[in-house]
Amino acid sequence: MSGAASNRKPINLALQGGGAHGAFTWGALDALLADGRLQIDGLSGASAGAMNAVVVADGLREGGPDGARKQLLQFWRAVSLDGQLDKAQRKLFDVYMGAFDPLKFSASLWQSASSFMSPYDFNPLDINPLRSTLTKLVDFDALRTSAGPQLYISATDVTTGKIKVFERNELRAEMVMASACLPTLFKAVDVDGVPYWDGGYSGNPPLFPFFYGTDCLDIILIQLDPIVRPGTPDTATEISQRMNEITFNAPLLGEFRAMSFVAKLIDMGRLQGMPYKKIRMHLIEGGKELAAYTADTKMQADFSLFQKLFDLGHAAGKKFIEANYEAIGNHATLDMTQYL
């Protein structure tokens, strides 16, 4: 390891899912990678967060931080409307992102229809354009056997409802697809005989694997769904959006609660001699600017939207580093108890 690399501060990155809003995470990651003073020890993610995590890890393997930045750009360009999907894949991805309008149906009408239409009916061949894009871009064989950040990709076991975390040394494309499997749009993904749905239902993103898998105590959460949204929603769209935000943040709040309890016991001296860690949490989020993007925009694939979200994320990432770099390795900058 070079002297410059050895002087980097170690961090773990936890990446939330959120459809097209994952482009915000792309921007934040780009800012962290461009800064050059941080070393990524581990990455966890669900859904779009899982995609970003795997693409970063593969890019680091091939070309370090600059390689990861290049790989992220290639991924988000490929899944945009001007990407390189074939006709069948493009139609399914346009449905997935709300852009396909074969009979002048709006995205909201399609989504309403999906409440009583199963993907086993309208997508019997189980076409998933993200799978093709991911396998073209990421060398999973090399990723599994190479050195680099730990990877923790969450999926939800359809049968038990429990979280399943796939790790780097076993990771295959279908495991990442399982993490991003929205059950109203795609068939459950079979991994070794077990059906899985989107990881956001059970760990969005998972934090606990870092406690055992890395020595790093600093976790930077890149969050897409606001935990707090002032006011009472009163339209169908607003109610649905808030329901989804609460649902997909629930596992995260559960982990915050457990981590805060352990930290309190450590401060009281009641866990001496036991292998528990006091984690330093940090947060990158888009605030009111990201919260202003409606749920519909999570299902859009226009690269101009991706670019706007990238710019917002990049600014948030850069602002975070400027304000909190000195705190990394020393103290938390996120008070988890405010959400409990």
Side-chain angles (χ1 to χ4, degrees), residues 146-162:
S146 59
Q150 297 294 328
L151 279 170
Y152 304 108
I153 303 303
S154 67
T156 303
D157 186 321
V158 177
T159 304
T160 66
K162 295 180 180 180

Side-chain angles (χ1 to χ4, degrees), residues 42-106:
L43 290 147
S44 76
S47 198
M51 299 280 178
N52 276 322
V54 170
V55 170
V56 165
D58 192 57
L60 288 171
R61 177 189 63 79
E62 290 194 317
D66 287 342
R69 296 175 69 194
K70 180 180 177 181
Q71 196 89 318
L72 283 166
L73 172 59
Q74 289 178 330
F75 173 77
W76 285 95
R77 174 69 73 179
V79 299
S80 70
L81 288 174
D82 56 353
Q84 301 300 313
L85 303 180
D86 64 37
K87 186 176 181 181
Q89 292 171 338
R90 171 53 57 200
K91 286 188 176 182
L92 256 295
F93 192 69
D94 289 350
V95 169
Y96 176 59
M97 291 303 217
F100 180 41
D101 194 16
L103 297 176
K104 303 299 182 182
F105 279 15
S106 67

Side-chain angles (χ1 to χ4, degrees), residues 173-221:
E174 60 264 32
M175 296 172 179
V176 185
M177 300 317 305
S179 182
C181 178
L182 292 174
T184 57
L185 294 174
F186 302 113
K187 296 180 181 180
V189 177
D190 184 289
V191 179
D192 300 327
V194 179
Y196 291 101
W197 282 343
D198 196 293
Y201 295 117
S202 54
N204 189 29
L207 304 180
F208 69 88
F210 294 133
F211 310 159
Y212 314 105
T214 76
D215 294 326
C216 177
L217 299 180
D218 289 88
I219 300 176
I220 300 176
L221 168 66

Side-chain angles (χ1 to χ4, degrees), residues 103-119:
L103 297 176
K104 303 299 182 182
F105 279 15
S106 67
S108 61
L109 283 176
W110 175 267
Q111 290 164 5
S112 297
S114 70
S115 65
F116 58 85
M117 290 179 63
S118 164

Side-chain angles (χ1 to χ4, degrees), residues 19-333:
H21 289 190
F24 172 89
T25 302
W26 164 32
L29 290 170
D30 189 80
L32 297 179
L33 291 163
D35 181 83
R37 292 180 291 167
L38 301 173
Q39 173 186 302
I40 303 173
D41 279 8
L43 290 147
S44 76
S47 198
M51 299 280 178
N52 276 322
V54 170
V55 170
V56 165
D58 192 57
L60 288 171
R61 177 189 63 79
E62 290 194 317
D66 287 342
R69 296 175 69 194
K70 180 180 177 181
Q71 196 89 318
L72 283 166
L73 172 59
Q74 289 178 330
F75 173 77
W76 285 95
R77 174 69 73 179
V79 299
S80 70
L81 288 174
D82 56 353
Q84 301 300 313
L85 303 180
D86 64 37
K87 186 176 181 181
Q89 292 171 338
R90 171 53 57 200
K91 286 188 176 182
L92 256 295
F93 192 69
D94 289 350
V95 169
Y96 176 59
M97 291 303 217
F100 180 41
D101 194 16
L103 297 176
K104 303 299 182 182
F105 279 15
S106 67
S108 61
L109 283 176
W110 175 267
Q111 290 164 5
S112 297
S114 70
S115 65
F116 58 85
M117 290 179 63
S118 164
Y120 293 80
D121 297 323
F122 66 75
N123 187 12
L125 298 179
D126 200 26
I127 299 171
N128 192 324
L130 291 174
R131 183 189 299 120
S132 175
T133 300
L134 198 65
T135 54
K136 287 179 181 178
L137 194 62
V138 175
D139 185 341
F140 281 92
D141 290 336
L143 188 65
R144 284 193 299 272
T145 57
S146 59
Q150 297 294 328
L151 279 170
Y152 304 108
I153 303 303
S154 67
T156 303
D157 186 321
V158 177
T159 304
T160 66
K162 295 180 180 180
I163 187 173
K164 172 66 177 179
V165 177
F166 299 108
E167 300 188 20
R168 179 171 182 145
N169 62 1
E170 64 180 333
L171 200 62
R172 307 191 303 269
E174 60 264 32
M175 296 172 179
V176 185
M177 300 317 305
S179 182
C181 178
L182 292 174
T184 57
L185 294 174
F186 302 113
K187 296 180 181 180
V189 177
D190 184 289
V191 179
D192 300 327
V194 179
Y196 291 101
W197 282 343
D198 196 293
Y201 295 117
S202 54
N204 189 29
L207 304 180
F208 69 88
F210 294 133
F211 310 159
Y212 314 105
T214 76
D215 294 326
C216 177
L217 299 180
D218 289 88
I219 300 176
I220 300 176
L221 168 66
I222 303 181
Q223 188 171 31
L224 301 181
D225 285 327
I227 293 176
V228 177
R229 184 181 286 275
T232 303
D234 56 10
T235 68
T237 298
E238 291 172 347
I239 291 169
S240 177
Q241 176 170 325
R242 191 59 186 146
M243 286 173 59
N244 284 331
E245 289 170 349
I246 292 171
T247 297
F248 285 110
N249 275 323
L252 179 65
L253 292 178
E255 293 210 68
F256 278 2
R257 190 172 294 108
M259 292 163 63
S260 297
F261 181 62
V262 168
K264 183 177 181 180
L265 292 178
I266 290 174
D267 288 342
M268 295 170 63
R270 297 179 63 178
L271 295 179
Q272 292 183 3
M274 302 183 72
Y276 291 99
K277 301 176 181 179
K278 187 173 181 181
I279 301 299
R280 297 183 287 263
M281 282 299 302
H282 310 275
L283 175 67
I284 297 176
E285 47 89 29
K288 293 181 180 179
E289 290 179 278
L290 182 59
Y293 283 88
T294 63
D296 284 349
T297 60
K298 289 185 177 182
M299 309 295 282
Q300 294 178 13
D302 189 337
F303 192 75
S304 64
L305 171 66
F306 293 170
Q307 189 66 59
K308 290 176 183 177
L309 290 165
F310 169 89
D311 291 342
L312 183 60
H314 195 277
K318 188 173 181 180
K319 180 179 178 181
F320 169 83
I321 296 172
E322 291 172 350
N324 301 301
Y325 177 77
E326 295 301 326
I328 296 173
N330 294 302
H331 62 83
T333 57

